[in-house]
Amino acid sequence: MADGFRAILVSKDDGGQKAEITTCTEADLMDGDVTLSVTASTVNYKDGLAITGKAPIVRRFPLIPGIDFAGTVTASTHPDWKPGDTAVLNGWGVGETHHGGYAGMARVKGDWLVPLPSAFTPHQAMAIGTAGYTAMLAVLALERHGITPDRGDILVTGAAGGVGSVAVAVLARLGYRVLASTGRLQESDYLKRLGAADIIDRAELSGPGKPLAKERWAGCVDSVGSHTLANALAQTRYGGVVAACGLAQGMDLPGSVAPFILRGVTLAGIDSVMAPKPLRLEAWSRLARDLDPDLLDAMTTTVTLDQVPDTARAILAGQVRGRVVVEIG
Ligand code: NDP
């Protein structure tokens, strides 16, 4: 078909959920006031869950997954967008209930889009993707709660992953002393190159711990959850802040209130999906200022649409280092 484009489509039948590469047309796209030609997308942990069906991320079938994309507007009835504009989309249920970024074209609400920052190419914006933008939301939360570099070290868990890699690079550039917790000690040199001052074996944090333990850090960006988050809280200094954004170890929080009521620790929740537009714009402008593009390149690999299903399995197995861009257009 003349206007056909390649896409990944997740469908479900009695045999379960499957993801296949197919050809779609603009008529297959969902409602929206802006249509875009997609240049690049990315594979986040959540995309891994969506494509493999390991968690019920996709809630409407058949669906094009992909929670992020960068592209160029081809048609618009939205007052803020005109053909030729470049834009980034992160979240808003795209890749969950609305067709997402693993396709040559997308149609979405113009209110969901942010302008592609002039500092970034579409490829770089997707190297950041939801993982990197979430890392910046976590850094902003630490700052809003008064955690400045002089307050003490910052722990980053899941450090060799996507959120973790961007958090390490941004925090180090801002002058924080970063402790990178990882299960991949062979990635210590990589993490030090991003700016980590010290490496912690994640096994130190991933088992059941005490309600309170020796105070070690002033803040934390946690993409892991479960015992790791409970231990991060238990070892946070008086008045410190833990920004919790992930669940790579688990969704549970097997801790106690002791860090909150005895040390005045703050647990700051981070959500990227429904974050309001002003906060998104702030995060993207801070990424343009505070993320070294050379380090972004160093943490990024690029795959094709055909390689997305394998990459989805790899990210859930904890085998993806840093960030993955999917070249589309
Ligand atoms: P990645 O897979 O790239 O990173 C996760 C990292 O967590 C892994 O690389 C690994 O790091 C560590 N990890 C994996 N499994 C375990 C385990 N069983 N125990 C302890 N550590 C583990 O994923 P992303 O960076 O894309 O996402 C990270 C998390 O953040 C996910 O849970 C994701 O759903 C969540 N997220 C939430 C958002 C929000 O809006 N709140 C937005 C974006 C992401 P290492 O090898 O260094 O130990």
Side-chain angles (χ1 to χ4, degrees):
M1 203 167 290
D3 65 344
F5 52 86
R6 297 182 81 224
I8 296 180
L9 202 63
V10 171
S11 57
K12 193 177 184 179
D13 59 21
D14 293 345
Q17 185 180 312
K18 62 173 190 269
E20 288 170 309
I21 311 257
T22 183
T23 300
C24 293
T25 69
E26 279 197 44
D28 297 316
L29 296 176
M30 292 178 180
D31 287 350
D33 46 15
V34 181
T35 306
L36 303 99
S37 164
V38 175
T39 312
S41 184
T42 174
V43 182
N44 301 280
Y45 190 87
K46 193 180 204 174
D47 296 310
L49 293 172
I51 288 174
T52 60
K54 287 257 164 66
I57 302 296
V58 176
R59 298 190 300 284
R60 176 173 173 169
F61 297 91
L63 191 95
I64 298 169
I67 65 170
D68 288 321
F69 63 78
T72 304
V73 174
T74 58
S76 168
T77 56
H78 189 286
D80 293 351
W81 299 101
K82 59 179 189 320
D85 288 345
T86 48
V88 177
L89 182 133
N90 308 108
W92 293 117
V94 168
E96 301 184 50
T97 53
H98 192 98
H99 283 327
Y102 296 145
M105 304 283 299
R107 187 180 298 125
V108 296
K109 286 190 183 171
D111 289 348
W112 294 345
L113 297 165
V114 296
L116 175 73
S118 57
F120 300 125
T121 63
H123 186 281
Q124 286 172 318
M126 287 299 99
I128 293 167
T130 284
Y133 139 71
T134 301
M136 183 50 91
L137 292 179
V139 172
L140 292 174
L142 295 182
E143 289 180 350
R144 283 210 177 88
H145 287 93
I147 302 300
T148 43
D150 57 307
R151 292 280 301 274
D153 294 352
I154 306 293
L155 172 71
V156 175
T157 64
V163 173
S165 293
V166 176
V168 169
V170 167
L171 287 163
R173 178 143 161 167
L174 289 170
Y176 292 91
R177 187 170 184 280
V178 179
L179 306 177
S181 162
T182 183
R184 289 178 274 180
L185 294 174
Q186 70 276 16
E187 298 296 355
S188 297
D189 287 347
Y190 162 77
L191 290 166
K192 287 191 169 162
R193 187 174 165 209
L194 296 184
D198 240 324
I199 309 296
I200 293 179
D201 185 336
R202 82 179 188 204
E204 267 186 50
L205 299 170
S206 58
K210 294 181 184 158
L212 278 183
K214 185 168 176 265
E215 297 177 45
R216 291 174 76 185
W217 34 77
C220 168
V221 175
D222 175 58
S223 59
V224 170
S226 192
H227 289 293
T228 302
L229 175 54
N231 287 319
L233 286 163
Q235 295 175 53
T236 298
R237 277 195 193 172
Y238 194 93
V241 179
V242 175
C245 67
L247 44 60
Q249 183 181 6
M251 211 166 179
D252 55 335
L253 178 48
S256 82
V257 297
F260 311 125
I261 64 174
L262 297 175
R263 287 191 183 150
V265 168
T266 297
L267 178 57
I270 306 299
D271 168 59
S272 65
V273 179
M274 303 306 287
K277 195 157 178 177
L279 183 57
R280 291 168 185 261
L281 293 171
E282 183 186 4
W284 277 102
S285 96
R286 286 289 305 273
L287 284 158
R289 195 191 85 179
D290 298 327
L291 178 59
D292 179 342
D294 290 338
L295 293 184
L296 181 63
D297 281 354
M299 67 177 82
T300 305
T301 48
T302 301
V303 300
T304 62
L305 202 59
D306 302 271
Q307 292 171 298
V308 168
D310 282 345
T311 310
R313 285 184 280 277
I315 200 165
L316 295 190
Q319 291 162 354
V320 167
R321 186 182 89 174
R323 300 279 303 128
V324 179
V325 172
V326 184
E327 250 350 308
I328 303 214

